[in-house]
Amino acid sequence: MRIMQLCPTIIPIRGCTQTQSEGAPQQPGRRPKISPQLNRWSRARSFRSGRKLDRPSLRTPTLEPNQPHPPSPLSIPDDAVSDDGADVRFIKSIYIVSDGTGWTAEHCVNAALGQFDYCLVDHGCPVNTHLFSGIDDAEKLLEIIKQCAREGALLVYTLADSSMASSAKKACKLWGVSFTDVLGPITEAIATHLGVSPSGLPRGASGVPLSDDYFRRIEAVEFTIKQDDGACPKNLAKADIVLTGVSRTGKTPLSIYLAQKGYKVANVPIVMGVEMPRTLFEVDPWKVFGLTINPLILQNIRKTRAKTLGFSSESTSNYSERDHIREELEFAGRLFAQNPVWPIIDVTAKAIEETAAVVLRLYHDRKQKCLMPRISKRY
């Protein structure tokens, strides 16, 4: 039996709000706090326990024109404000609904919200997001849409079941809820392109056998962990991707990230005075990638690392000394120059996801023999 999960997430976090009650003693410049979100949290608990939000309930939900009017909006005090002074009446809500884990819809919403950081950071347009995952029942779906109507929230959903998606669309139009179907349009486009019908089952649905891709990713993660930090260099030939670079250039987190996508990754550290494993130069050079970084940024990273390891500033170790770092990077640069086929990726100011995107683009370009002319070997 599938278990419905509900996970409200708040961006940015809005805590208690403030209002002023009549006849209560007042302190200068302060107003007693109330929490308008308690109502939403109470509803969340109701969803989790399977109770319904409204007293009048329908055993078989329908979307006929003569259905009762949409629920009335939530009552919010006129002077209610959040902790940082924002009027709660202007905090927008986004409801994310999925019949699976909700990962796809949540990441789409977060990616879109990233376009409004300039507004969200200074609370110019505060937003609350609420994730409802595992919604595989039409009645529960309609309850959520009713709540959207009350709050004037935007509904974003990924529903693999076409009948559920159709019900959501009709209910939103009937009750005037703004909505976005993330999965539907692209699923229809792919179905038309392939000439076959979609399964209508969410990823990881109960009863669906685990795919070969799942086991391939598990195997990749296990391989990558065993090959971390130059371990077992004899197995480099079995890796799909080989990363090399000086310490703290992000080899391990990048390796794990790529492994979770199903690629077997090995990483080999470059250390002055330590001979590089011979197998690194015997493997297919098209799958080796060099990582480099700005020396000042690397120095700051290593200083932080040294502190976590308990090294004092008076330590004789040259691990985080600028001159030593420059020598290491120059040593790595000479190694890269001796192997011109290896692309060099500058990870300075790049997130793991950005670096991984560059690696995978080059990896697939090479694998599919569709290399485009390059201006530089640095990325």
Side-chain angles (χ1 to χ4, degrees):
M1 180 181 296
R2 294 176 59 85
I3 300 177
M4 181 186 67
Q5 298 177 348
L6 176 142
C7 177
T9 308
I10 302 174
I11 305 177
I13 297 176
R14 290 291 183 267
C16 300
T17 58
Q18 301 175 350
T19 188
Q20 202 167 15
S21 57
E22 297 181 2
Q26 302 180 10
Q27 297 179 359
R30 294 180 60 87
R31 291 183 292 181
K33 292 184 177 181
I34 64 171
S35 178
Q37 290 188 8
L38 286 177
N39 184 32
R40 286 193 290 270
W41 292 338
S42 174
R43 292 176 181 278
R45 288 192 294 272
S46 297
F47 274 123
R48 191 177 294 112
S49 62
R51 296 194 302 272
K52 299 176 183 177
L53 294 179
D54 299 323
R55 285 186 294 271
S57 59
L58 297 175
R59 299 303 298 177
T60 305
T62 59
L63 294 174
E64 300 299 329
N66 60 353
Q67 196 167 356
H69 293 293
S72 58
L74 291 174
S75 176
I76 301 177
D78 292 338
D79 58 352
V81 296
S82 63
D83 287 341
D84 56 6
D87 192 329
V88 298
R89 292 172 297 175
F90 298 103
I91 298 178
K92 302 293 186 178
S93 292
I94 300 177
Y95 276 37
I96 304 169
V97 177
S98 173
D99 51 6
T101 62
W103 187 95
T104 301
E106 186 177 30
H107 280 69
C108 286
V109 169
N110 289 335
L113 285 175
Q115 300 296 314
F116 303 94
D117 281 345
Y118 69 93
C119 181
L120 295 172
V121 170
D122 61 4
H123 310 301
C125 49
V127 174
N128 291 344
T129 64
H130 307 269
L131 173 61
F132 299 84
S133 59
I135 305 300
D136 55 1
D137 178 79
E139 188 170 356
K140 296 172 183 176
L141 175 63
L142 295 185
E143 294 293 345
I144 295 172
I145 298 176
K146 287 180 183 179
Q147 182 67 13
C148 282
R150 293 187 182 93
E151 291 194 35
L154 169 67
L155 178 68
V156 178
Y157 60 86
T158 51
L159 298 170
D161 188 336
S162 59
S163 62
M164 289 278 289
S166 177
S167 297
K169 184 176 181 180
K170 291 179 181 178
C172 288
K173 288 184 176 181
L174 180 64
W175 293 330
V177 175
S178 299
F179 68 96
T180 296
D181 181 0
V182 175
L183 194 61
I186 190 171
T187 301
E188 293 176 5
I190 293 176
T192 301
H193 182 66
L194 298 179
V196 296
S197 300
S199 66
L201 297 174
R203 287 189 299 178
S206 177
V208 178
L210 296 176
S211 65
D212 293 338
D213 178 68
Y214 173 81
F215 292 104
R216 181 170 60 87
R217 287 188 285 116
I218 295 298
E219 183 181 357
V221 171
E222 292 177 347
F223 176 89
T224 300
I225 292 175
K226 293 178 181 178
Q227 301 301 133
D228 185 37
D229 204 26
C232 301
K234 62 182 181 180
N235 292 330
L236 291 181
K238 299 178 182 179
D240 298 317
I241 296 171
V242 179
L243 305 175
T244 185
V246 301
S247 175
R248 314 315 296 175
T249 49
K251 299 184 298 297
T252 296
L254 178 59
S255 298
I256 297 299
Y257 182 87
L258 292 170
Q260 291 175 341
K261 291 181 174 292
Y263 300 91
K264 295 180 179 179
V265 185
N267 73 78
V268 180
I270 298 176
V271 183
M272 287 195 305
V274 178
E275 185 179 359
M276 300 295 290
R278 185 180 59 184
T279 50
L280 176 63
F281 307 102
E282 295 175 348
V283 300
D284 184 355
W286 293 99
K287 64 182 181 182
V288 181
F289 297 82
L291 304 182
T292 188
I293 191 173
N294 180 281
L296 296 179
I297 301 299
L298 181 56
Q299 183 183 25
N300 291 332
I301 294 174
R302 288 191 175 183
K303 283 182 177 180
T304 303
R305 174 63 172 170
K307 288 181 180 179
T308 61
L309 293 176
F311 294 158
S312 64
S313 58
E314 294 80 12
S315 174
T316 56
S317 173
N318 56 6
Y319 178 72
S320 58
E321 289 182 0
R322 184 177 303 180
D323 292 340
H324 178 75
I325 289 174
R326 289 187 183 278
E327 291 178 7
E328 273 193 283
L329 291 174
E330 290 173 359
F331 176 77
R334 290 193 295 271
L335 177 63
F336 296 153
Q338 295 169 7
N339 299 271
V341 178
W342 299 354
I344 312 305
I345 302 174
D346 189 345
V347 300
T348 305
K350 279 190 176 72
I352 294 298
E353 295 85 353
E354 294 176 292
T355 305
V358 175
V359 170
L360 293 179
R361 175 171 61 84
L362 295 174
Y363 172 79
H364 287 291
D365 280 352
R366 293 173 162 196
K367 189 175 181 179
Q368 298 170 9
K369 307 295 184 183
C370 59
L371 274 174
M372 297 180 64
R374 298 182 309 199
I375 298 175
S376 170
K377 62 173 292 189
R378 283 183 175 265
Y379 299 87

